[in-house]
Structures are given as C-alpha cells and as structure tokens.
Amino acid sequence: MDSALIPEGAKRCPLPKFSIGIAIVSAVLLWGVYAMFLCWFKGLNQTNMNDYYGFALWIWADLAVIAVGGGAFFTGLLKYIFKIDELKNIINFAVIIGFICYSSALLILAIDIGQPLRGWFIFWHANVHSMLTEVAFCLSAYFAVLTIEFIPNILENRQANKVPFFHHLAHNMHGVMAIFAATGAFLSFFHQGSLGGVAGVMYGRPFAVREGLLVWPWTFFLFTWSAAAYGPCFTLLVTKTTEAITGKKLVKDNVIHLLAKISGWMIVTYIIAKIIDTAYWAMVTAPSLGFNLSHFYTDNSFYGYWMLITEIVICGVVPGAILITKSTRENPKLRLVAIILGTIGVCLNRWVMVLQIMAVPVMSFDTWALYIPSWQEIATTVLPVAYGVILIAFAYRYLPVFPQEQELNQVKPVTE
Amino acid sequence: MFPFSFEWVWDMGHMVFFGGFWYAIGILSAGMTYCIVKAVLNTMNDSGESH
C-alpha cells in the first residue's frame, strides 16, 4: 500500500505488521503524553520533587539523552571536519539518533519548567551569569543544526526527491554540511561542557564541586569528553538493535570497527582523566572542605562504593579496554557488551552528577535524602523512548538511512 | 534579547552570551538561505547537478 514511499530496492515488512508495531509503541507514548498533560494542567505537584530534589529524574534523563546523543556531533565532526569518509555510511543514522535525543531533551525541559508557554523567557530575560542559560542557548541552536542535518535525508525520500526543488535543496545542503557540522561541534562543546560545569560550580555541594581552568571546573571538560566518547557507543548500540529487529545487516563491519575503535580510545583517555579527577577530589578537594570520601558512600541504603566502581571500572575501564584491543573489538559479542556497558556508564555518571549530589547530606544535622520518582515522572521519562522508537521506525521504513543496506542484503537469484 | 531591549547591558556577560548565540544563529540562517536561494535558481534554470 505504501510501497511507492519505500526506498527503491529496499525490502520492508507489510504495512499491517508495521502498523501493529507502531500501535503498540504508541500506547506507551500516549501514557507518557497523559502524564505530561497532568504535569502541565495540575502542576509540578504531580512529581516527587521537593526542596532536596529540584533536579530530579527528568534532569537525569535530560543529561543522559544529551550525553548519548553526543554521537551525532562527534560522528559529524569526524566525517565532515576530519574527513573520515567511511563514516558516511552511519552518519545519517547518527543524526537521526541525535535529533531524537535533543528533541527529547527539549520536550523534557518543556515539562520540567511547568509553564512551557514561558519557555522563551530564557532567551529574552536571560541570566547571563548562569551556565544553564548557555545550555539553553546551545541546546536550542544545536537542535536547529540537527534538524538541518536531518532535512536532506527526509528530502531524499523516493517521492520527495522527485520534486526538483527538494532534490536541489538536498544536494545543496549536502554541499555546505561541513559548515553546519562545525557549528554543531562548537555548540555541543559548550552545552555538554556547561551541563558538567553546573555541577562543578556548586560550592555548597562538596560531592560535586571541583577546581578547574579559569571559569570552567574540570567537570566542564569531562562532560564534553564523555559525551564524545560514549555517544558513538549509543549510536552503535541503536544500530545493532535496529539490525536485530529488522533481521538485516545495515552497516559494514569496517565502519562499525572504525567507530568502535575511535570510541574506545576516547573512553580510555576520558577514563584516565576521570580517575585523576576523582582521586584529586577524594584526596584534596573534599578533605579541604571537611569531608572524607566515606561520607559520600556510606550510611545509606543505596549509594555505596559499588556505584563508583561500576561507573569507573566496570562501565569505563572495561569497555575502553575491549574497544581498543583489535581482537576483542572485532568479536561481535564482546563489542556488544562493551557498547552496552559504555552506554550504561555515561548514564550512571549523569545520575551520580545529578541525583547523588542531591542525596548526600551537607550540614551536620542533615541525613541522606533518597528519592523515588512518581509514576508521572517515570511515564514522561519513558515518553521520549517511545517517540524515538516510532521516529526510527518511520525513518528506516521510508528514508534511505543506510547507504550500504542494498549491497549487504542482495537477494541471491535462485539456481535450478 | 537584543541590544535595543531595555534589559540589555553592555557588559562582558551579555556580549559573550548573545554574541555567541547570534553568531551561531547567523551562520545557520546564512547557510540555509544560501541553500534555498541556490535551489530556487537551480530549479528555475534546471541546471543543477544531479545528486
């Protein structure tokens, strides 16, 4: 029924089967939309946020999707600025994943501010002393970059491309994409960094505060670095998941190996910097503020040393080691383990830097403040996942996302 | 916020924040304008390279 829209030569499942899949995911999406409207109409009392937790599950989800969406800017930087041409076979998908992540981040912020109709205030009545203002500026502008990077792929749809204007527009946009990619890298450097900088300048929170360079605490650089390191892991993970669902090979192994190798070296260099930062903070910064390391990891039922070890060793050192070693990187199962661990690692880092900060007692009369999100918060956090699945499903079905798909899935002629 | 807004102050904070923001938006706008105008001309002349 919709075969005229499907890329030429590509095989897709029948429309009824596709529709059933979309309907199931849409049910989850509607659950999230219902919770979203509850938050908008009834207010933020629908959440379990309180005076301890002004930043809650949403801000963790926001930082996590921005971190894993970092694969788009870093892959774009490698493809268009460093001219690593093999990555042209995965850049479309990296951009779509980035588009989903950043639109999700903006959606989460629209719910979080409670009054989305006043969202434009941050641009018009900007507090120029706030790192979050920089985040809002760069996030919005970078979402515009991702939209611009996504448009040519949409215009290459089989029917849209027949329209001469769309055909020429897509071609012209490809021609100047390096400028957009460079702008995206510039914006990403600052907003990824400033999200980390917010934690590093919390002078009243000894768990978060760090020294740094000029106005930027070390967490500024660590956040940008980790997004560039782990973002490609998420791109590879979603690619692998899409291949598993479609039952097709979509990207050649040499492209996967190359991106995994780059990600691996980025993770290794990042994790060395992270270990140095953590050690300096534990041995110098925190004691200078009157706290021992044990204060941040004991006397509560959830946050223990296991979290520190999981983040740095299991989800940092291990995936880094797997991905920089040729034999383990080229082993599909070990590579999958590494990219899953990497994705968990960066999400865990954002959890620690958003929620553990809030939980740790600061004053002598304080106790650990653990937090359980309300169902409305969970539903609105699941909402972007459902939206992402639907957008990827439509993009895969109707757009030429993977240039190598046809070559890798040629139907062999039947021999008698 | 623009320099003609009543809240605007000519200090480093405003100049760096809004300078960077409008610089990025300016590049994106100029890039898209170039692509659209060129696509219109290509379509009118039908002389664009095939992609």
Side-chain angles (χ1 to χ4, degrees):
Chain A
M1 200 187 292
D2 61 344
S3 54
L5 292 167
I6 291 171
E8 211 158 349
K11 290 262 181 295
R12 296 290 182 265
C13 69
L15 185 61
K17 189 178 173 186
F18 177 74
S19 305
I20 290 168
I22 293 295
I24 293 167
V25 184
S26 296
V28 180
L29 183 93
L30 287 174
W31 179 53
V33 169
Y34 172 65
M36 179 178 82
F37 280 108
L38 277 180
C39 293
W40 277 344
F41 287 110
K42 294 193 172 182
L44 294 180
N45 62 357
Q46 298 294 299
T47 74
N48 280 350
M49 286 192 284
N50 53 36
D51 289 345
Y52 269 104
Y53 285 98
F55 287 171
L57 187 68
W58 286 333
I59 296 299
W60 164 72
D62 204 61
L63 265 67
V65 293
I66 289 170
V68 295
F73 96 83
F74 191 59
T75 313
L77 184 76
L78 295 170
K79 159 77 179 74
Y80 294 109
I81 308 302
F82 292 101
K83 306 287 183 194
I84 302 178
D85 202 45
E86 291 98 315
L87 296 178
K88 70 183 178 198
N89 299 306
I90 203 168
I91 187 70
N92 287 342
F93 201 47
V95 165
I96 292 170
I97 294 167
F99 179 87
I100 290 166
C101 288
Y102 277 79
S103 51
S104 299
L106 290 172
L107 175 68
I108 291 168
L109 288 177
I111 305 170
D112 192 33
I113 58 176
Q115 291 252 28
L117 292 178
R118 295 182 185 171
W120 59 278
F121 277 25
I122 199 161
F123 298 102
W124 201 256
H125 306 290
N127 170 11
V128 295
H129 304 289
S130 167
M131 285 206 178
L132 286 178
T133 305
E134 185 193 330
V135 171
F137 282 16
C138 291
L139 207 66
S140 313
Y142 184 55
F143 179 62
V145 171
L146 284 168
T147 306
I148 289 169
E149 289 181 342
F150 190 17
I151 286 172
N153 199 215
I154 297 170
L155 297 180
E156 282 164 358
N157 168 270
R158 198 165 150 192
Q159 296 304 320
N161 206 35
K162 287 179 182 169
V163 180
F165 173 74
F166 290 161
H167 174 82
H168 290 304
L169 182 59
H171 178 71
N172 294 338
M173 289 176 77
H174 277 300
V176 294
M177 200 54 82
I179 296 171
F180 295 131
T183 311
F186 166 80
L187 293 165
S188 289
F189 177 82
F190 281 101
H191 76 248
Q192 296 279 3
S194 288
L195 285 170
V198 169
V201 297
M202 286 187 181
Y203 301 111
R205 298 279 178 180
F207 183 71
V209 70
R210 296 288 192 279
E211 283 87 354
L213 181 69
L214 302 175
V215 297
W216 300 288
W218 296 127
T219 47
F220 179 99
F221 304 100
L222 289 173
F223 264 50
T224 303
W225 205 336
S226 59
Y230 292 106
C233 279
F234 187 66
T235 305
L236 292 173
L237 180 60
V238 180
T239 305
K240 183 71 186 168
T241 309
T242 309
E243 286 182 337
I245 291 170
T246 59
K248 288 180 185 171
K249 184 93 182 128
L250 299 170
V251 182
K252 283 185 180 176
D253 282 341
N254 68 317
V255 180
I256 299 290
H257 293 165
L258 176 65
L259 195 57
K261 183 182 176 183
I262 294 169
S263 177
W265 279 108
M266 289 294 291
I267 291 172
V268 167
T269 50
Y270 160 75
I271 214 69
I272 291 169
K274 175 72 183 170
I275 289 168
I276 294 169
D277 171 73
T278 305
Y280 186 83
W281 161 78
M283 290 187 282
V284 180
T285 313
S288 73
L289 298 168
F291 291 89
N292 295 322
L293 184 63
S294 61
H295 176 81
F296 303 110
Y297 295 100
T298 52
D299 293 334
N300 77 94
S301 57
F302 184 68
Y303 294 106
Y305 285 109
W306 69 268
M307 204 145 202
L308 188 65
I309 292 164
T310 306
E311 184 202 333
I312 293 179
V313 181
I314 299 172
C315 297
V317 175
V318 172
I322 291 174
L323 293 179
I324 61 167
T325 310
K326 191 171 188 286
S327 57
T328 48
R329 179 175 65 243
E330 294 185 358
N331 178 322
K333 283 182 184 165
L334 284 175
R335 188 174 63 242
L336 181 61
V337 168
I339 59 179
I340 290 172
L341 286 178
T343 305
I344 293 171
V346 75
C347 293
L348 193 58
N349 171 262
R350 294 333 190 232
W351 181 280
V352 167
M353 298 305 281
V354 173
L355 291 174
Q356 194 172 350
I357 288 172
M358 305 285 161
V360 174
V362 177
M363 301 294 185
S364 55
F365 51 82
D366 270 346
T367 54
W368 280 83
L370 301 181
Y371 151 85
I372 297 171
S374 68
W375 75 263
Q376 291 91 332
E377 287 175 87
I378 293 168
T380 46
T381 304
V382 172
L383 163 63
V385 180
Y387 148 70
V389 171
I390 292 171
L391 191 59
I392 286 176
F394 274 98
Y396 171 72
R397 189 173 179 84
Y398 297 119
L399 304 178
V401 176
F402 298 101
Q404 296 175 316
E405 183 188 350
Q406 265 184 274
E407 187 188 340
L408 289 166
N409 299 280
Q410 281 172 346
V411 180
K412 290 178 185 164
V414 180
T415 51
E416 291 183 18
Chain B
M1 194 192 300
F2 296 103
F4 50 78
S5 303
F6 75 93
E7 288 170 275
W8 181 271
V9 180
W10 284 103
D11 62 7
M12 192 57 80
H14 282 78
M15 286 190 283
V16 169
F17 264 67
F18 283 96
F21 181 64
W22 289 117
Y23 179 64
I25 295 296
I27 289 173
L28 300 182
S29 307
M32 279 309 293
T33 305
Y34 168 78
C35 292
I36 292 168
V37 169
K38 193 164 177 237
V40 170
L41 293 175
N42 288 341
T43 308
M44 286 168 66
N45 299 328
D46 201 28
S47 62
E49 296 169 45
S50 61
H51 178 58

